[in-house]
């Protein structure tokens, strides 16, 4: 699965807020994207984790419909910033206060959040679109950003803003997708600083401080590593249950007492008594831990210290897992299933080119298996014992992509890791680097990539030294780079550097005879056996498979899920597929082929044997001589696609002729 996290929200404002928060924590280690539930959500079958903002059934249904069966779907735990809740503390106890949100479920969730934060002195009632103020009169009303219900003019509005994501959600998922421990520690320390500042701001009464401590303690309990925080006097202010079990299992009422009551407190002393103490390897209860500390400051004023302990065994396990995920090729040519001639030719060509050390450019539509070919090429190459480093160039913004590819020096930018970081080209030393979606990189990155290909050297961001790199580049794109070069969107010199050894991966419609084998292999991996009717297989052979193998797997999974019979029939297929095929069947060639010269377009596509854009078609002598213009070709291609004679790709992939189009040429005597 792709190292991608998706968040699905009910409202666009909430989605934008949460995306900003998630990206701040997970990127550049993991791609984060978001969708509103009312919009069209694309296929998410390769996504590793899906977050929902509320428990609304419609959000879960939307996520399950587009996500893979094994993808984790989690409702985010969220809380309000305590500084925004201070106004609630001033409302007299027992007051009835409406809580407004866009649905009954989300309004009730907000109320539950308030109660869990111990802001329980008020009587909350949910309000949402459709609710009115006709029956009762209120003096106060709670909203989150914007009101979803018209408000009376005489009420006091308390805006709590958007709910933030609980830090333990970020940490738990972050460990699964490879967020470094340094980032985790940085966020945890910042959270403690924020809570400490809020303690002073809200500390006007003992009750308010107790509410703050309760929320802090509940947050720390969710952290699986021991955490201990002390003030400047060495008095424990926070400690989670994991730390209690490790340091003082027989003590009670620990908060508010000196840290010296803890066993092995001498190990903590360097961190609680001085600044800038380096991490230490310590042994407690016959277990080894990395002990880290950080001073808590408010501007220049020290507030205390926080210590965290990380199990060395867990660190080693995570590092091994990340290394295997990111730097090892996991597929070989035996994993590429199919017996069709186009696929065999692509595999044989790839095996020959794998033995060479030149740059390879894999072209093909989305879902054709370009990444599988990249893995297999590395496994078949002389560099198979070296690392295999992969990156999707379209998944990161320009500045993050630059630092990931080429690395950065210490202090290169705000938030840069101390000591700098090697880029992926350096990490791929002696092996292969796979640049997926290379056609989407910006002009600035194109210039730097050209230098690497020409000189075999990189310069880190913020650095001046030149570093030699020895790695084989395999790039992939679903775009027509030749057209992009003609439009000035892609450097011509870079194109020729990338396309030294070009390999085109055939689309599924070009090898429909492989469909039964692909279905059998997909179901065998899941331990499922099913029989497919002849009618269904004929429909599969006629379909143009815009999503290629990925779409085929989705259709198979859908049919297996809904079928209640031993033999899968056409009634078990997704409606969008059967409707599309029915529409093609009803259309006739006569309705589309208004003039004999329309066959010329199909013939030019047939002769090209590769995707062509309307820009290229309009410049072919055979079409230009009979008056075809780019505008007329664009209109005609849309007509031809409606009846299935051609297929136009997305993101400027060009147009190809389909099996039905070839049959039309045969009937017209052109081939």
């Amino acid at each position: 699965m792709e190292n991608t996290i998706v968040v699905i929200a009910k409202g666009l404002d909430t989605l934008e807020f949460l995306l900003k928060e998630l990206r701040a924590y997970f990127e550049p280690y993991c791609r984060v994207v978001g969708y509103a539930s009312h919009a069209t959500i694309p296929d998410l079958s390769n996504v590793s984790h899906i977050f929902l903002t509320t428990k609304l059934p419609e959000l879960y249904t939307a996520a399950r419909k587009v996500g893979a069966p094994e993808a984790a779907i989690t409702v985010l735990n969220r809380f309000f910033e305590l500084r925004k809740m201070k106004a609630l503390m001033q409302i007299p106890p027992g007051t009835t206060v409406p809580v407004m949100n866009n649905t009954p479920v989300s309004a009730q969730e907000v109320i539950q959040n308030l109660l869990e934060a111990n802001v329980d002195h008020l009587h909350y009632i949910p309000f949402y679109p459709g609710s009115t103020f006709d029956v009762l009169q209120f003096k106060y009303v709670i909203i989150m950003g914007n009101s979803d219900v018209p408000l009376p003019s005489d009420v006091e509005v308390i805006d709590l803003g958007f709910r933030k994501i609980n830090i333990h959600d970020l940490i738990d998922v972050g460990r699964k997708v490879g967020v470094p421990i340094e980032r985790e520690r940085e966020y945890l320390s910042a959270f403690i600083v924020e809570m400490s500042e809020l303690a002073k701001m809200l500390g006007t009464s003992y009750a308010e401080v107790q509410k703050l401590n309760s929320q802090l303690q509940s947050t720390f309990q969710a952290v699986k590593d021991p955490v201990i925080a002390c003030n400047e006097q060495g008095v424990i202010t926070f400690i989670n249950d994991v730390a209690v079990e490790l340091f003082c299992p027989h003590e009670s009422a620990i908060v508010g007492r000196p840290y010296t009551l803890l066993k092995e407190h001498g190990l903590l002393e360097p961190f609680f008594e001085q600044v800038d103490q380096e991490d230490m390897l310590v042994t407690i209860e016959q277990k080894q831990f990395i002990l880290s500390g950080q001073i808590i400051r408010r501007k220049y004023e020290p507030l205390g210290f926080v210590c965290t302990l990380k199990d060395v065994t867990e660190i080693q396990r995570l590092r091994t897992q990340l290394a295997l995920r990111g730097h090892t090729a996991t597929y070989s040519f035996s994993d590429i299933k199919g017996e069709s001639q186009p696929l065999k030719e692509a595999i044989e060509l790839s095996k020959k080119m794998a033995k060479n050390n030149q740059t390879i450019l894999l072209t093909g539509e989305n879902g054709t298996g370009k990444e599988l070919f990249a893995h297999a090429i590395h496994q078949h190459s002389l560099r198979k014992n070296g690392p295999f480093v992969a990156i999707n160039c379209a998944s990161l913004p320009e500045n993050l992509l630059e630092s990931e590819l080429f690395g950065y020096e210490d202090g290169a930018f705000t938030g840069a890791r101390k000591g700098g970081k090697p880029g992926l080209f350096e990490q791929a030393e002696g092996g292969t680097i796979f640049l997926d979606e290379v056609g989407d990189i910006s002009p600035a990155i194109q210039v730097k990539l050209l230098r690497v290909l020409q000189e075999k050297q990189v310069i880190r961001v913020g650095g001046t030294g030149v570093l030699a790199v020895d790695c084989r580049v395999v790039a992939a794109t679903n775009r027509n780079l030749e057209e992009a070069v003609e439009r000035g969107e892609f450097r011509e010199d870079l194109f020729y550097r990338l396309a030294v050894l070009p390999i085109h991966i055939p689309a599924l419609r070009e090898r429909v005879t492989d469909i039964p084998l692909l279905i059998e292999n997909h179901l065998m991996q899941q331990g499922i056996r099913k029989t497919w009717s002849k009618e269904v297989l004929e429909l599969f052979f006629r379909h143009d498979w815009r999503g290629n193998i990925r779409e085929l797997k989705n259709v198979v999974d859908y049919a297996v899920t809904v079928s209640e019979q031993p033999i899968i029939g056409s009634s078990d297929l997704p409606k969008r597929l059967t409707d599309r095929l029915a529409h093609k069947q009803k259309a006739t060639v006569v309705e589309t082929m208004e003039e004999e010269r329309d066959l010329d377009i199909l013939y030019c596509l047939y002769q090209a044997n590769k995707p062509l854009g309307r820009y290229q078609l309009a410049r072919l002598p055979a079409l230009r001589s009979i008056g075809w213009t780019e505008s007329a070709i664009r209109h005609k291609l849309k007509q031809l696609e409606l009846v299935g004679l051609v297929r136009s790709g997305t993101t400027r992939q060009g147009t190809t002729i389909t099996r039905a189009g070839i049959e039309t040429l045969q009937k017209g005597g052109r081939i």
Side-chain angles (χ1 to χ4, degrees):
M1 284 192 172
E2 296 176 351
N3 204 15
T4 300
I5 290 175
V6 169
V7 59
I8 301 177
K10 178 74 174 175
L12 291 175
D13 291 340
T14 302
L15 177 63
E16 183 178 353
F17 175 82
L18 294 178
L19 278 176
K20 183 177 180 181
E21 191 172 4
L22 289 168
R23 285 169 176 163
Y25 187 79
F26 289 107
E27 291 184 352
Y29 312 101
C30 175
R31 182 187 178 210
V32 179
V33 296
Y35 303 99
S37 60
H38 62 269
T40 301
I41 303 177
D43 173 31
L44 302 178
S45 58
N46 283 338
V47 168
S48 59
H49 207 108
I50 300 176
F51 280 131
L52 307 180
T53 55
T54 72
K55 297 177 181 177
L56 283 173
E58 64 184 83
L59 293 190
Y60 183 86
T61 301
R64 184 50 69 199
K65 183 178 179 181
V66 297
E70 65 272 18
I73 299 179
T74 305
V75 178
L76 285 170
N77 293 301
R78 297 161 64 195
F79 70 99
F80 292 105
E81 293 182 81
L82 294 187
R83 61 167 52 89
K84 295 184 178 180
M85 297 168 63
K86 189 173 183 178
L88 294 180
M89 306 295 187
Q90 312 305 321
I91 301 176
T95 303
T96 298
V97 181
V99 177
M100 296 188 173
N101 217 321
N102 49 17
T103 68
V105 173
S106 55
Q108 193 60 52
E109 285 182 4
V110 172
I111 293 174
Q112 187 64 30
N113 285 162
L114 292 171
L115 296 176
E116 290 173 354
N118 290 326
V119 188
D120 53 3
H121 65 295
L122 304 175
H123 174 57
Y124 303 109
I125 58 174
F127 258 59
Y128 43 86
S131 303
T132 65
F133 289 90
D134 296 337
V135 180
L136 299 173
Q137 295 295 319
F138 303 105
K139 295 181 62 177
Y140 308 92
V141 62
I142 297 173
I143 67 172
M144 272 61 65
N146 297 311
S147 172
D148 295 291
V149 178
L151 300 176
S153 58
D154 57 343
V155 300
E156 181 178 341
V157 178
I158 300 173
D159 183 6
L160 298 183
F162 296 105
R163 289 175 290 166
K164 299 183 69 176
I165 303 171
N166 270 346
I167 193 169
H168 62 77
D169 278 12
L170 297 177
I171 290 175
D172 282 351
V173 177
R175 292 180 178 179
K176 296 175 183 177
V177 300
V179 173
I181 296 171
E182 292 80 4
R183 172 68 64 90
E184 175 182 316
R185 186 187 308 157
E186 173 189 345
Y187 265 67
L188 187 59
S189 298
F191 185 80
I192 294 174
V193 170
E194 181 182 9
M195 293 297 105
S196 299
E197 292 177 345
L198 289 175
K200 290 189 175 183
M201 184 185 74
L202 298 179
T204 55
S205 70
Y206 178 79
E208 289 179 0
V209 174
Q210 287 297 96
K211 288 178 170 59
L212 174 61
N213 285 336
S214 176
Q215 180 165 352
L216 275 170
Q217 288 293 342
S218 63
T219 299
F220 285 138
Q221 301 312 333
V223 179
K224 298 176 181 178
D225 300 318
V227 179
I228 306 170
C230 291
N231 62 18
E232 285 187 283
Q233 289 72 43
V235 175
I236 297 173
T237 53
F238 306 109
I239 185 169
N240 62 357
D241 289 344
V242 183
V244 170
E245 184 65 27
L246 183 65
F247 286 99
C248 49
H250 305 299
E251 295 286 343
S252 59
I254 301 168
V255 174
R257 300 170 67 182
Y259 79 87
T260 51
L261 73 89
L262 306 176
K263 69 176 182 180
E264 306 286 357
H265 65 267
L267 298 174
L268 304 176
E269 184 176 351
F271 297 91
F272 287 148
E273 302 293 342
Q274 62 192 55
V275 183
D276 298 329
Q277 172 66 34
E278 295 184 356
D279 294 356
M280 289 195 316
L281 179 65
V282 300
T283 301
I284 303 175
E285 294 294 329
Q286 299 181 344
K287 286 186 178 181
Q288 286 191 316
F289 296 89
I290 299 294
L291 178 58
S292 305
Q294 188 165 340
I295 187 170
I296 303 173
R297 297 180 183 275
R298 181 178 59 193
K299 295 184 178 179
Y300 299 105
E301 178 188 0
L303 301 176
F305 301 86
V306 60
C307 275
T308 58
L309 293 95
K310 187 68 182 177
D311 191 332
V312 171
T313 304
E314 178 68 8
I315 294 175
Q316 292 172 340
R317 187 189 67 80
L318 290 172
R319 285 180 175 172
T320 301
Q321 184 181 36
L322 292 174
L324 291 175
R325 183 196 308 162
H327 294 163
T328 304
T330 54
Y331 304 105
S332 63
F333 284 114
S334 62
D335 294 309
I336 303 175
K337 305 301 180 181
E339 298 294 338
S340 63
Q341 192 60 31
L343 183 67
K344 284 184 175 181
E345 291 175 357
I347 291 176
E348 288 305 312
L349 183 61
S350 299
K351 288 181 177 179
K352 293 178 182 178
M353 293 183 174
K355 298 301 183 182
N356 197 294
N357 204 35
Q358 298 294 331
T359 302
I360 289 178
L361 178 63
L362 302 171
T363 60
E365 300 167 6
N366 284 328
T368 53
K370 297 188 293 295
E371 185 168 355
L372 264 68
F373 271 80
H375 281 248
I377 287 170
H378 173 76
Q379 296 275 48
H380 203 72
S381 72
L382 300 177
R383 296 173 173 263
K384 62 183 179 182
N385 294 323
F388 177 82
V389 181
I391 184 172
N392 189 310
C393 298
S395 65
L396 298 175
E398 178 180 329
N399 57 335
L400 290 179
L401 178 61
E402 181 181 13
S403 63
E404 282 296 301
L405 286 176
F406 310 113
Y408 56 80
E409 294 290 353
D410 189 2
F413 50 84
T414 303
R417 182 188 300 176
K418 186 177 181 180
K421 176 186 174 184
L424 295 182
F425 276 99
E426 294 177 58
Q427 296 177 47
E429 182 73 12
T432 302
I433 183 169
F434 175 49
L435 306 177
D436 199 9
E437 304 297 348
V438 73
D440 295 324
I441 61 177
S442 67
I445 302 297
Q446 290 180 33
V447 174
K448 291 201 169 189
L449 180 57
L450 179 63
R451 174 183 175 84
V452 177
L453 296 178
Q454 287 179 334
E455 309 296 336
K456 302 296 183 183
Q457 297 174 339
V458 297
I459 300 177
R460 291 185 180 181
V461 176
T464 56
V466 177
L467 302 173
V469 292
D470 174 27
C471 62
R472 206 268 185 81
V473 176
V474 177
T477 182
N478 59 14
R479 295 186 61 188
N480 188 322
L481 291 187
E482 291 179 273
E483 279 192 22
V485 168
E486 292 178 1
R487 291 190 299 269
E489 298 172 359
F490 200 85
R491 292 182 63 99
E492 185 176 18
D493 48 1
L494 177 58
F495 168 74
Y496 288 116
R497 284 286 180 181
L498 289 171
V500 177
L501 302 176
I503 302 172
H504 177 71
I505 312 302
L508 183 55
R509 64 181 173 279
E510 299 173 48
R511 56 186 192 102
V512 292
T513 55
D514 288 336
I515 288 178
L517 180 59
L518 291 170
I519 294 175
E520 180 184 0
N521 181 69
H522 179 57
L523 293 181
M524 184 175 62
Q525 292 176 346
Q526 304 177 57
I528 299 174
R529 296 184 64 85
K530 278 287 184 177
T531 303
W532 301 77
S533 69
K534 184 178 179 181
E535 177 189 14
V536 168
L537 292 177
E538 289 177 353
L539 289 175
F540 283 177
F541 291 150
R542 296 208 313 270
H543 187 45
D544 55 7
W545 299 109
R546 294 190 173 191
N548 291 292
I549 298 175
R550 190 175 298 135
E551 182 186 2
L552 174 64
K553 290 181 178 180
N554 289 347
V555 170
V556 170
D557 290 340
Y558 177 95
V560 169
T561 301
V562 303
S563 175
E564 298 179 352
Q565 304 297 327
I567 300 178
I568 294 179
S570 58
S571 60
D572 300 320
L573 300 180
K575 190 172 182 298
R576 57 179 173 78
L577 184 143
T578 54
D579 286 351
R580 184 179 177 88
L581 291 172
H583 177 75
K584 289 181 182 179
Q585 202 167 11
K586 291 178 182 178
T588 64
V589 176
V590 177
E591 291 173 333
T592 305
M593 306 307 293
E594 301 172 345
E595 304 176 61
E596 175 67 20
R597 68 185 189 131
D598 291 355
L599 289 172
D600 293 328
I601 293 181
L602 294 178
Y603 186 66
C604 288
L605 291 172
Y606 174 77
Q607 278 192 316
N609 196 29
K610 66 177 182 179
L612 292 179
R614 62 178 184 272
Y615 177 87
Q616 290 174 302
L617 286 168
R619 280 150 183 78
L620 292 176
L623 298 181
R624 189 166 51 186
S625 63
I626 57 176
W628 278 109
T629 64
E630 186 175 348
S631 176
I633 289 175
R634 178 177 58 188
H635 178 71
K636 181 56 61 180
L637 289 177
K638 289 182 178 179
Q639 288 185 335
L640 296 175
E641 185 177 20
L642 283 175
V643 292
L645 300 183
V646 301
R647 178 186 180 277
S648 296
T650 58
T651 63
R652 300 171 178 169
Q653 293 176 4
T655 301
T656 55
I657 189 170
T658 64
R659 177 182 291 267
I662 295 174
E663 292 174 355
T664 300
L665 287 176
Q666 292 172 339
K667 292 177 182 178
R670 302 296 289 269
I671 58 174

